[in-house]
Amino acid sequence: MSEGKLPKLSEIPAFMEYMGQGWDVPDRTPPVVPGAAEAAAAHRARLAAALPGQEIVVAAGRAPVRSNDTFYDFRPDSDFYWLTGCTAEAAVVTVRDGEATLYLPVPAYPGEPGFFADAAHGELWVGAAPSLADWSSALGISVRPLAELPDPPALTEEAGRVLAELRMIKDEWEVDQLRQAVDRTVEGFAAVIAEIPAAVSGAGERWLQGTFDRYARAHGNGPGYATIVGSGKHAPTLHWVRCDGPVLPDELLLLDMGVEVRSHYTADVTRTFPASGSFSPAQRQVHDLVEKAHRAALAQVGPGRRFTDFHHSAMEVIAHGLDDWGLLPVSVDEALSDRGQHHRRYLICGIGHHLGLDVHDCARSSHEAYQGAVMAPGMVLTVEPGLYFHAHDRTVPPELRGIGVRIEDDLLVTPDGAEVLSSALPLDATGLEHWMKTA
């Protein structure tokens, strides 16, 4: 043995021979969610109808590097999963007229160096690896080695747009997955509420973030996006994902959370709670106005209505409320005009989006198919008005500074209206106070 240098195992013939012997075959069943393969076949048929004769190539992607030689968990590209139901890393699918060929890296089994030498993908390191035949049987499509794939063309802008617009209309299987995601999310809210005393006692925002993320990982893939837990002055920060502050007993607690289930569909729900269990008069004043705007927006969701209708309805309520409080420097009409928008100082974000495999689903759609379109049965979207009064905003009276409130629900557009999928969570302040005691 050489001094000071460890032997490279894959270069030792005796070790290679020994490592290739004595292994049983592990369970290599592909992790395919029931119904995913059938749904993917239907999705490919829809794509064929939209782009007849065109070959579409979509890659699953690879897990990004976290640091040096460690990686984040892999999550397949949403278009790729929608077309295949496959969760394999580095895979590529080609689709033409509904017929698909899936190209996968060939796994390394006993007798091959990668079996024990590839720390990122070797079966001895990361667990059982389904064969190409296993994947083909599970998904009902042709599967070939990735090495046989010629240099694939990149997904064109047109194909990306078409896929996004097709994904706007969810089929029954997708709606069922989203229902499950919402149900698990509501349960996750209850788990977080139960931990508020521990968070107030010193564990802080990150304890609540970790509580939800643990629940999401136990009952799905994990959170569908970075969980937002904002207490006090952090609540008005729209994407407060650092969650490194305390949970203050007399302040509001904004929770924006969603479970991504095994099929990669995610919920997106927000409620704002008083950490003490009771709203103060100023907190309730803000929450009541946001609730009023939220209910006005919900009433505008339905087939045949413009996607922007619920936005305008909520903004009108917000603008009138802010005017009543003396917070608008102009009239309500001027604020609501395209030349004004002064009320948006306290509501800078949009208040709704499509929901599905991505929390902000179908983002590559054209304006005409998204904000410029009318709603149709099968669409799933969020409605999420709010008011965000930052602690350092001198236009806000002292009693309102540091108050941030958002209410967000997930809705399915139905043939005759809309169904609020997240209706198990109350909207009104009194209902939230009661829910905190009983959750």
Side-chain angles (χ1 to χ4, degrees):
M1 181 177 294
S2 61
E3 294 293 334
K5 185 177 181 180
L6 295 175
K8 191 172 183 179
L9 297 178
S10 60
E11 295 179 353
I12 304 174
F15 183 80
M16 284 287 297
E17 181 181 1
Y18 184 52
M19 284 298 289
Q21 302 170 0
W23 300 99
D24 290 328
V25 177
D27 180 4
R28 292 173 174 151
T29 303
V32 177
V33 174
E38 294 80 5
H43 298 161
R44 295 193 298 271
R46 289 171 58 193
L47 178 63
L51 296 174
Q54 294 191 35
E55 182 177 61
I56 308 300
V57 181
V58 184
R62 295 178 181 269
V65 173
R66 185 183 186 278
S67 64
N68 191 27
D69 59 351
T70 62
F71 297 82
Y72 288 101
D73 286 345
F74 174 69
R75 197 269 194 193
D77 172 83
S78 295
D79 287 332
F80 174 86
Y81 184 82
W82 191 77
L83 290 169
T84 66
C86 179
T87 57
E89 187 172 6
V92 177
V93 67
T94 63
V95 183
R96 183 191 292 270
D97 291 332
E99 296 299 319
T101 301
L102 181 62
Y103 294 88
L104 296 177
V106 177
Y109 293 146
E112 302 172 69
F115 172 64
F116 63 86
D118 187 343
H121 304 99
E123 192 173 54
L124 209 58
W125 288 86
V126 300
S131 70
L132 273 58
D134 293 330
W135 278 112
S136 181
S137 176
L139 297 174
I141 58 178
S142 174
V143 179
R144 306 295 301 166
L146 183 61
E148 295 183 6
L149 176 67
D151 291 337
L155 185 68
T156 65
E157 182 177 345
E158 179 196 18
R161 176 188 60 76
V162 169
L163 281 165
E165 293 173 7
L166 289 173
R167 283 171 45 197
M168 281 185 176
I169 305 298
K170 274 63 179 179
D171 55 37
E172 290 185 10
W173 181 81
E174 292 180 288
V175 170
D176 180 65
Q177 298 305 305
L178 285 163
R179 288 187 191 280
Q180 293 180 40
V182 172
D183 290 347
R184 299 295 82 75
T185 298
V186 172
E187 294 165 5
F189 266 84
V192 169
I193 293 301
E195 294 295 322
I196 288 179
V200 169
S201 295
E205 294 170 342
R206 196 156 286 184
W207 182 262
L208 300 183
Q209 183 187 45
T211 297
F212 184 81
D213 289 1
R214 181 180 68 249
Y215 189 91
R217 189 159 175 80
H219 297 277
N221 287 326
Y225 51 93
T227 299
I228 296 171
V229 177
S231 172
K233 67 178 182 179
H234 294 158
T237 302
L238 294 172
H239 287 170
W240 182 253
V241 297
R242 297 212 308 263
C243 302
D244 59 0
V247 173
L248 304 170
D250 297 324
E251 301 290 347
L252 291 180
L253 182 65
L254 190 151
L255 303 175
D256 186 338
M257 310 187 297
V259 171
E260 180 184 277
V261 291
R262 304 291 183 192
S263 60
H264 305 291
Y265 288 82
T266 186
D268 182 11
V269 180
T270 307
R271 290 294 187 274
T272 308
F273 298 90
S276 66
S278 298
F279 287 90
S280 72
Q283 292 167 353
R284 188 174 190 122
Q285 174 187 352
V286 177
H287 194 281
D288 285 352
L289 179 55
V290 174
E291 180 200 342
K292 184 178 180 182
H294 188 73
R295 292 186 184 278
L298 294 180
Q300 296 300 315
V301 177
R305 295 184 180 275
R306 292 176 302 175
F307 186 85
T308 53
D309 282 354
F310 68 84
H311 169 92
H312 293 305
S313 182
M315 289 300 176
E316 185 171 347
V317 172
I318 292 292
H320 279 283
L322 292 173
D323 185 58
D324 290 342
W325 298 350
L327 291 182
L328 288 185
V330 297
S331 69
V332 170
D333 287 343
E334 185 173 348
L336 289 171
S337 73
D338 291 344
R339 304 180 312 277
Q341 299 293 301
H342 297 73
H343 58 292
R344 297 293 299 277
R345 180 186 181 102
Y346 314 109
L347 179 50
I348 199 69
C349 60
I351 63 162
H353 52 80
H354 282 272
L355 183 69
L357 282 166
D358 297 321
V359 64
H360 298 136
D361 211 30
C362 311
R364 286 186 293 185
S365 302
S366 66
H367 171 80
E368 292 75 18
Y370 201 127
Q371 291 186 351
V374 298
M375 289 175 270
M379 289 182 174
V380 177
L381 53 93
T382 71
V383 171
E384 50 178 311
L387 281 170
Y388 309 96
F389 299 125
H390 291 274
H392 55 288
D393 188 344
R394 290 184 291 105
T395 69
V396 179
E399 66 272 15
L400 296 183
R401 294 177 190 172
I403 291 179
V405 173
R406 178 161 65 250
I407 304 173
E408 179 180 21
D409 279 307
D410 302 342
L411 289 85
L412 167 67
V413 180
T414 64
D416 56 359
E419 176 188 353
V420 181
L421 302 179
S422 46
S423 60
L425 283 173
L427 295 180
D428 63 288
T430 299
L432 289 171
E433 292 173 342
H434 178 72
W435 194 80
M436 290 181 73
K437 298 174 182 176
T438 58

